[in-house]
Amino acid sequence: MMRSKLCRAGLGLVLIPAAVQAQSQAPAALKPTEAPGLAYTADFFPGAAYRPGVPTQESLVGFACGQRAASAAEIEQCLKAWTAAAPDRTRLVQYARSYEGRPLYYVVVTSPRNLSRLEEIQAGYARLGDPRKLSAAEASPLMDNLPAVGWLAYNIHGDETEGADAALAVLYHLIAAQDPKVEKLLEGMVVIIDPLMNPDGRDRFVKMIAEHRGVSPNVDDQSLLHAGYWPRGRGNHYLFDLNRDSIYGVHPETRGRIREVLRWNPLLFVDAHGMGPQATHLFSPPRQPLNPNLPQGRERWSELFGRDQAAAFDRHQLLYYNGEWNEEWYPGYTDGWASYNGAIGILYEQARIAEDGVRRPEGRILSYRESIHHHVIGSMANLATLQANGRQLLDYFHATRRNAMDPTGPYAQRTFAILPTANRTRLNDFLDVLQLQGFEVFQAPSEFTAALATDQLGRELKNKTVPAGTLLVPNRQPLGHLVAAMLEFDPHFPAKVLEEERRELLNKGKSRIYDTTAWNLTMMFGLEALTLPTGLPDGARPHPPAELVPRGLQGKTEAPLGFVMDGADDRSVSAAARLMERGVQVRVAEKSFRFDGQDFARGSVLITLIDNRTFQGDLKQSVAQTAAELNLAAVAVSSGLGPGELPDLGGSHFPRLEPPRLALFGRDGLNSQDYGASWFMIDHHLGIRHSHLGEAEGLDLSRYNVLIIPDGRFTVSSNQLGALREWVRAGGTLIAVAGASTGLISEKSDFSKVRPLPEVLGRLAEYEAAIFREWLGRTGTVPAPEGLWAHTAGPGFQYPWPSIEGPHPEEKEMKRRDAWQTLFMPQGALLASRVDTNHWLTFGCGEMLSVLVGPHPVLMAADGVEAPIRYGHLALKEKNTNAVETTEARPKTESTADKREGEKKKETPRLGWCALPEGTEMHLRMSGLVWPEAAQRLANAAWVTREAFGRGQIILFATPPAFRGAARGPMRIILNAVIYGPGLGAAQPVRP
Ligand SMILES: [Zn+2]
């Protein structure tokens, strides 16, 4: 049925347009088919016979596997029909629902005997997974009686479509084959097929394919048919890369899978991808760097699976490779994540093409169907290896969990301590990730002293007081490998990897590292944590599953002056945003204060009755509803008098907020992931209305008072730039992120006063002076009394900054240095930054913030530009402090090279472009690879800047603050910018 109406003819290498046959509906239907010359006729399963009762894909959706990419609905249709037709071999499980409402399924395929005892199988794996629950004597017979569980997952990147079509081919074969070999395979195994991990992304791309379908085949991989257009199909609804989300668990697709994988504990976990259309096929094992917490023995298994897979590809005379670029340092890849818990995680990467196939340099055409076939070959090869080694892999799985629990092992003497915070929402969300991952979490019921502890800056602390309420995560637990991978502060690359990376950077100017080199969860969340070199401290109690603190209205609510929501909690920003959207007048506290004897943090949100006299509705009810929605407390206060010098409500420290009218730019050229992360943040951390803008041309920008330009290339014409300038001048708050700031900060843009480092290498002294002024402004150092109160003025004045080794080298030399340092910029490392805790942008933030930094622009701020957060946490040097790692970032060769004769007294060498204030040391690298060259370049540069421009303001972020939806510390700063910007940084219009 539904055979092609369109014939495609191929003559040798020349493709000629379709000779349209005079049939009923020709030539209207643009329906791809396997045209002669493109047809790939190889049988995926030669000679297989199938049960007649299981309908074929073609009979269900109108086309055979490989003729085109099936949509999510078509895939669902197949899964439902096949599992209904073969209830003796299958079970269909829905494990999640995407943002766009598409269900995510996996299918369990196994023998009838196994199917009747799935719960028993899961329970058996769970016992093996927790060595505390069974003895070695019990483990062996249990393993003898368990089938091997394998999980094959496909198409997490929506535009790598061949994966899900291959899953259909494998599924149909396993479900429908009348073949003793398949029956035997299913007796020894429970096969879980997870065909489509990203249905929203896939359907977005399937639609792009349909949009570009023509009457002739298109085999040019540059064509839109194959390439798609912005934002393509890789990400989910919010354009996140789900193949980085496994450690953060931000999205429903990931969260559903994590829960199910933890329920099944598979021995094999395949994650099938697509790569460049002219590539071949990649599979295991990966190359170095491998994360040091990957279980022992995993490499050997990975090699065995790889060898068998290679043999299967050899039998088909196919080309493939392993290693090369695929490394496994970052633990948030889907297959990598599964590996920490005892599965053999395997990545496939197949040349990615759309339905017509792609011309290869050698002249042949790689068809879509052939591309699918490669995934099928790999999948079946891996299942065969699993089948042959099931018992040994169960041993490996059990041993992995035993090793994590080894009382003499590397995890036995290590506990991660996460200190309590008033930012309840953030701590709860952090706890939620740990619990999602199945980690065992405890809590300290009372304060205790840790004899030794390491903080996030790498400092070793003695006799550290650990407060009551601290979360304690012992590394020694069954999932200890993943606990370590996610919470360990600072894993180091092996020396050989560093050598190779260095060589590659110098020879090719490129990094070999595939993802961020740091991801530590406490640092991403901006939560203070310690590593204790001990097991779980005595008296620790299992953390209660959920805190049952009543929220909503609190205090004397009968006749209040107003309500306060504490600014320490991130959701106070959401509360302000939602209340303003409901028409409520809101204020925010610039300083911490005390009303009615209760302390509130700066950034607290206030709703007063007097401000809301014209409010149409029940104010108390609106406040209560908002607080309840956000699980926040709204405390009724009866007096606005702060004791002593603490702020009073009627003074200047409680400015009224201006409701944000927000728009976010999203269009070709911008980084779709940062656009998506910003959008996700607005939807899920604020929950307010906003607009998404395409082009800047011709828009009426006066509808908005906040504009966000995500990271990426934001190219605008001079007219558009002029329009933006006028808009800011009239009172707008313009927020630009990382790459998007480039067009605004250049001298020639005549806009922001911030400059990229390379532009100011000839006048660094003014930027250096700004750093000193800022630092002294914060410390409040006062000249000695004898000088200050002297009645005579004389020479010999001592400047408060240290004697620096002379002026900066000339611009030419600085340019040469900067070019050299730029080569070594990080690929994503966590840097400690210092925070101006008097600035409204930093509400909710302590004195230090960790930010993830990559090869982003280096922002220079002086002369009317505020830099509330800069790279490098400055601390007063303590005597007896052990040397911390960041001190090696001090220049050695450079300072001696420039050393001037005769100036040997008390000179302070510069760290990069700036000297350090006397008596301080800078902590910079927290986690990940930061070459000393990059440290020199980044130290003291601004991470966020704010400057007035006309009646409005410009706020620039050096790196994406909402990165992966997981950088919760930095995210708070952009939330403050968006919601408080119009009220605090821009002039508020009074409407006459
Ligand atoms: Zn991929």
Side-chain angles (χ1 to χ4, degrees), residues 391-409:
R391 179 61 174 80
Q392 293 93 314
L393 280 160
L394 272 163
D395 260 327
Y396 164 80
F397 167 74
H398 182 53
T400 298
R401 302 293 178 92
R402 256 199 335 258
N403 290 343
M405 295 295 296
D406 184 350
T408 61

PDB file of all heavy atoms in Angstrom, residues 391-409:
ATOM      1  N   ARG A 391      26.871 -13.736  32.310  1.00  0.00           N
ATOM      2  CA  ARG A 391      27.220 -14.111  33.689  1.00  0.00           C
ATOM      3  C   ARG A 391      28.429 -13.303  34.190  1.00  0.00           C
ATOM      4  O   ARG A 391      28.430 -12.788  35.304  1.00  0.00           O
ATOM      5  CB  ARG A 391      27.491 -15.619  33.736  1.00  0.00           C
ATOM      6  CG  ARG A 391      27.877 -16.167  35.081  1.00  0.00           C
ATOM      7  CD  ARG A 391      26.748 -15.946  36.114  1.00  0.00           C
ATOM      8  NE  ARG A 391      27.048 -16.595  37.384  1.00  0.00           N
ATOM      9  CZ  ARG A 391      27.867 -16.089  38.306  1.00  0.00           C
ATOM     10  NH1 ARG A 391      28.447 -14.938  38.095  1.00  0.00           N
ATOM     11  NH2 ARG A 391      28.089 -16.744  39.433  1.00  0.00           N
ATOM     12  N   GLN A 392      29.449 -13.150  33.336  1.00  0.00           N
ATOM     13  CA  GLN A 392      30.650 -12.394  33.747  1.00  0.00           C
ATOM     14  C   GLN A 392      30.322 -10.908  33.925  1.00  0.00           C
ATOM     15  O   GLN A 392      30.901 -10.236  34.773  1.00  0.00           O
ATOM     16  CB  GLN A 392      31.776 -12.530  32.718  1.00  0.00           C
ATOM     17  CG  GLN A 392      32.367 -13.923  32.611  1.00  0.00           C
ATOM     18  CD  GLN A 392      31.680 -14.743  31.526  1.00  0.00           C
ATOM     19  OE1 GLN A 392      30.443 -14.776  31.436  1.00  0.00           O
ATOM     20  NE2 GLN A 392      32.463 -15.414  30.701  1.00  0.00           N
ATOM     21  N   LEU A 393      29.382 -10.421  33.094  1.00  0.00           N
ATOM     22  CA  LEU A 393      29.022  -9.009  33.234  1.00  0.00           C
ATOM     23  C   LEU A 393      28.232  -8.765  34.515  1.00  0.00           C
ATOM     24  O   LEU A 393      28.331  -7.692  35.118  1.00  0.00           O
ATOM     25  CB  LEU A 393      28.235  -8.540  32.003  1.00  0.00           C
ATOM     26  CG  LEU A 393      29.155  -8.224  30.811  1.00  0.00           C
ATOM     27  CD1 LEU A 393      28.384  -8.238  29.505  1.00  0.00           C
ATOM     28  CD2 LEU A 393      29.841  -6.866  30.992  1.00  0.00           C
ATOM     29  N   LEU A 394      27.454  -9.782  34.928  1.00  0.00           N
ATOM     30  CA  LEU A 394      26.784  -9.659  36.224  1.00  0.00           C
ATOM     31  C   LEU A 394      27.820  -9.593  37.342  1.00  0.00           C
ATOM     32  O   LEU A 394      27.690  -8.821  38.292  1.00  0.00           O
ATOM     33  CB  LEU A 394      25.860 -10.865  36.443  1.00  0.00           C
ATOM     34  CG  LEU A 394      24.443 -10.717  35.884  1.00  0.00           C
ATOM     35  CD1 LEU A 394      23.773 -12.075  35.789  1.00  0.00           C
ATOM     36  CD2 LEU A 394      23.616  -9.784  36.760  1.00  0.00           C
ATOM     37  N   ASP A 395      28.860 -10.406  37.191  1.00  0.00           N
ATOM     38  CA  ASP A 395      29.966 -10.378  38.150  1.00  0.00           C
ATOM     39  C   ASP A 395      30.600  -8.981  38.201  1.00  0.00           C
ATOM     40  O   ASP A 395      30.880  -8.457  39.271  1.00  0.00           O
ATOM     41  CB  ASP A 395      31.068 -11.364  37.699  1.00  0.00           C
ATOM     42  CG  ASP A 395      30.977 -12.665  38.470  1.00  0.00           C
ATOM     43  OD1 ASP A 395      30.594 -12.617  39.656  1.00  0.00           O
ATOM     44  OD2 ASP A 395      31.287 -13.717  37.880  1.00  0.00           O
ATOM     45  N   TYR A 396      30.812  -8.435  37.018  1.00  0.00           N
ATOM     46  CA  TYR A 396      31.435  -7.107  36.926  1.00  0.00           C
ATOM     47  C   TYR A 396      30.543  -6.050  37.593  1.00  0.00           C
ATOM     48  O   TYR A 396      31.015  -5.199  38.350  1.00  0.00           O
ATOM     49  CB  TYR A 396      31.691  -6.746  35.455  1.00  0.00           C
ATOM     50  CG  TYR A 396      31.968  -5.276  35.228  1.00  0.00           C
ATOM     51  CD1 TYR A 396      33.232  -4.744  35.469  1.00  0.00           C
ATOM     52  CD2 TYR A 396      30.965  -4.421  34.783  1.00  0.00           C
ATOM     53  CE1 TYR A 396      33.481  -3.383  35.277  1.00  0.00           C
ATOM     54  CE2 TYR A 396      31.198  -3.077  34.588  1.00  0.00           C
ATOM     55  CZ  TYR A 396      32.454  -2.552  34.835  1.00  0.00           C
ATOM     56  OH  TYR A 396      32.693  -1.216  34.655  1.00  0.00           O
ATOM     57  N   PHE A 397      29.256  -6.140  37.303  1.00  0.00           N
ATOM     58  CA  PHE A 397      28.293  -5.196  37.896  1.00  0.00           C
ATOM     59  C   PHE A 397      28.338  -5.266  39.425  1.00  0.00           C
ATOM     60  O   PHE A 397      28.462  -4.247  40.121  1.00  0.00           O
ATOM     61  CB  PHE A 397      26.890  -5.525  37.367  1.00  0.00           C
ATOM     62  CG  PHE A 397      25.777  -4.856  38.112  1.00  0.00           C
ATOM     63  CD1 PHE A 397      25.531  -3.499  37.956  1.00  0.00           C
ATOM     64  CD2 PHE A 397      24.969  -5.579  38.992  1.00  0.00           C
ATOM     65  CE1 PHE A 397      24.501  -2.875  38.647  1.00  0.00           C
ATOM     66  CE2 PHE A 397      23.946  -4.963  39.686  1.00  0.00           C
ATOM     67  CZ  PHE A 397      23.709  -3.612  39.521  1.00  0.00           C
ATOM     68  N   HIS A 398      28.267  -6.504  39.928  1.00  0.00           N
ATOM     69  CA  HIS A 398      28.280  -6.695  41.377  1.00  0.00           C
ATOM     70  C   HIS A 398      29.616  -6.212  41.965  1.00  0.00           C
ATOM     71  O   HIS A 398      29.650  -5.552  43.010  1.00  0.00           O
ATOM     72  CB  HIS A 398      28.049  -8.180  41.673  1.00  0.00           C
ATOM     73  CG  HIS A 398      27.997  -8.507  43.127  1.00  0.00           C
ATOM     74  ND1 HIS A 398      27.161  -7.862  44.018  1.00  0.00           N
ATOM     75  CD2 HIS A 398      28.698  -9.416  43.873  1.00  0.00           C
ATOM     76  CE1 HIS A 398      27.351  -8.359  45.234  1.00  0.00           C
ATOM     77  NE2 HIS A 398      28.277  -9.301  45.168  1.00  0.00           N
ATOM     78  N   ALA A 399      30.712  -6.520  41.252  1.00  0.00           N
ATOM     79  CA  ALA A 399      32.046  -6.123  41.737  1.00  0.00           C
ATOM     80  C   ALA A 399      32.174  -4.604  41.773  1.00  0.00           C
ATOM     81  O   ALA A 399      32.791  -4.038  42.680  1.00  0.00           O
ATOM     82  CB  ALA A 399      33.131  -6.729  40.854  1.00  0.00           C
ATOM     83  N   THR A 400      31.589  -3.925  40.777  1.00  0.00           N
ATOM     84  CA  THR A 400      31.636  -2.458  40.748  1.00  0.00           C
ATOM     85  C   THR A 400      31.009  -1.872  42.008  1.00  0.00           C
ATOM     86  O   THR A 400      31.562  -0.988  42.657  1.00  0.00           O
ATOM     87  CB  THR A 400      30.879  -1.937  39.505  1.00  0.00           C
ATOM     88  OG1 THR A 400      31.533  -2.434  38.356  1.00  0.00           O
ATOM     89  CG2 THR A 400      30.861  -0.427  39.454  1.00  0.00           C
ATOM     90  N   ARG A 401      29.855  -2.419  42.359  1.00  0.00           N
ATOM     91  CA  ARG A 401      29.160  -1.918  43.552  1.00  0.00           C
ATOM     92  C   ARG A 401      29.936  -2.307  44.823  1.00  0.00           C
ATOM     93  O   ARG A 401      29.984  -1.537  45.779  1.00  0.00           O
ATOM     94  CB  ARG A 401      27.737  -2.475  43.615  1.00  0.00           C
ATOM     95  CG  ARG A 401      26.882  -2.138  42.384  1.00  0.00           C
ATOM     96  CD  ARG A 401      26.590  -0.648  42.279  1.00  0.00           C
ATOM     97  NE  ARG A 401      25.822  -0.292  41.100  1.00  0.00           N
ATOM     98  CZ  ARG A 401      24.480  -0.214  41.073  1.00  0.00           C
ATOM     99  NH1 ARG A 401      23.771  -0.488  42.136  1.00  0.00           N
ATOM    100  NH2 ARG A 401      23.859   0.139  39.958  1.00  0.00           N
ATOM    101  N   ARG A 402      30.519  -3.506  44.802  1.00  0.00           N
ATOM    102  CA  ARG A 402      31.325  -3.928  45.958  1.00  0.00           C
ATOM    103  C   ARG A 402      32.551  -3.021  46.121  1.00  0.00           C
ATOM    104  O   ARG A 402      32.884  -2.610  47.226  1.00  0.00           O
ATOM    105  CB  ARG A 402      31.776  -5.386  45.782  1.00  0.00           C
ATOM    106  CG  ARG A 402      30.994  -6.370  46.634  1.00  0.00           C
ATOM    107  CD  ARG A 402      31.731  -7.698  46.818  1.00  0.00           C
ATOM    108  NE  ARG A 402      32.673  -8.022  45.780  1.00  0.00           N
ATOM    109  CZ  ARG A 402      32.471  -8.886  44.792  1.00  0.00           C
ATOM    110  NH1 ARG A 402      31.312  -9.512  44.697  1.00  0.00           N
ATOM    111  NH2 ARG A 402      33.405  -9.128  43.898  1.00  0.00           N
ATOM    112  N   ASN A 403      33.184  -2.710  44.993  1.00  0.00           N
ATOM    113  CA  ASN A 403      34.369  -1.834  45.057  1.00  0.00           C
ATOM    114  C   ASN A 403      34.024  -0.471  45.647  1.00  0.00           C
ATOM    115  O   ASN A 403      34.801   0.114  46.383  1.00  0.00           O
ATOM    116  CB  ASN A 403      34.979  -1.633  43.665  1.00  0.00           C
ATOM    117  CG  ASN A 403      35.620  -2.894  43.153  1.00  0.00           C
ATOM    118  OD1 ASN A 403      35.890  -3.818  43.924  1.00  0.00           O
ATOM    119  ND2 ASN A 403      35.843  -2.966  41.845  1.00  0.00           N
ATOM    120  N   ALA A 404      32.845   0.026  45.261  1.00  0.00           N
ATOM    121  CA  ALA A 404      32.440   1.336  45.796  1.00  0.00           C
ATOM    122  C   ALA A 404      32.277   1.278  47.314  1.00  0.00           C
ATOM    123  O   ALA A 404      32.439   2.283  48.001  1.00  0.00           O
ATOM    124  CB  ALA A 404      31.151   1.788  45.132  1.00  0.00           C
ATOM    125  N   MET A 405      31.935   0.090  47.814  1.00  0.00           N
ATOM    126  CA  MET A 405      31.695  -0.082  49.251  1.00  0.00           C
ATOM    127  C   MET A 405      32.923  -0.602  49.999  1.00  0.00           C
ATOM    128  O   MET A 405      32.853  -0.837  51.205  1.00  0.00           O
ATOM    129  CB  MET A 405      30.555  -1.099  49.462  1.00  0.00           C
ATOM    130  CG  MET A 405      29.199  -0.678  48.965  1.00  0.00           C
ATOM    131  SD  MET A 405      28.570   0.733  49.885  1.00  0.00           S
ATOM    132  CE  MET A 405      28.400   0.019  51.514  1.00  0.00           C
ATOM    133  N   ASP A 406      34.016  -0.815  49.294  1.00  0.00           N
ATOM    134  CA  ASP A 406      35.210  -1.415  49.895  1.00  0.00           C
ATOM    135  C   ASP A 406      35.708  -0.564  51.070  1.00  0.00           C
ATOM    136  O   ASP A 406      36.047   0.607  50.881  1.00  0.00           O
ATOM    137  CB  ASP A 406      36.293  -1.509  48.805  1.00  0.00           C
ATOM    138  CG  ASP A 406      37.548  -2.201  49.299  1.00  0.00           C
ATOM    139  OD1 ASP A 406      37.659  -2.429  50.530  1.00  0.00           O
ATOM    140  OD2 ASP A 406      38.410  -2.494  48.464  1.00  0.00           O
ATOM    141  N   PRO A 407      35.762  -1.148  52.276  1.00  0.00           N
ATOM    142  CA  PRO A 407      36.191  -0.331  53.426  1.00  0.00           C
ATOM    143  C   PRO A 407      37.652   0.126  53.328  1.00  0.00           C
ATOM    144  O   PRO A 407      38.064   1.044  54.034  1.00  0.00           O
ATOM    145  CB  PRO A 407      35.995  -1.272  54.626  1.00  0.00           C
ATOM    146  CG  PRO A 407      35.882  -2.642  54.055  1.00  0.00           C
ATOM    147  CD  PRO A 407      35.381  -2.508  52.652  1.00  0.00           C
ATOM    148  N   THR A 408      38.408  -0.501  52.438  1.00  0.00           N
ATOM    149  CA  THR A 408      39.800  -0.049  52.267  1.00  0.00           C
ATOM    150  C   THR A 408      39.974   0.646  50.912  1.00  0.00           C
ATOM    151  O   THR A 408      41.093   0.954  50.505  1.00  0.00           O
ATOM    152  CB  THR A 408      40.777  -1.238  52.340  1.00  0.00           C
ATOM    153  OG1 THR A 408      40.445  -2.136  51.264  1.00  0.00           O
ATOM    154  CG2 THR A 408      40.664  -1.973  53.657  1.00  0.00           C
ATOM    155  N   GLY A 409      38.874   0.850  50.211  1.00  0.00           N
ATOM    156  CA  GLY A 409      38.946   1.423  48.858  1.00  0.00           C
ATOM    157  C   GLY A 409      39.060   2.939  48.874  1.00  0.00           C
ATOM    158  O   GLY A 409      39.032   3.572  49.942  1.00  0.00           O
TER     159      GLY A 409
END
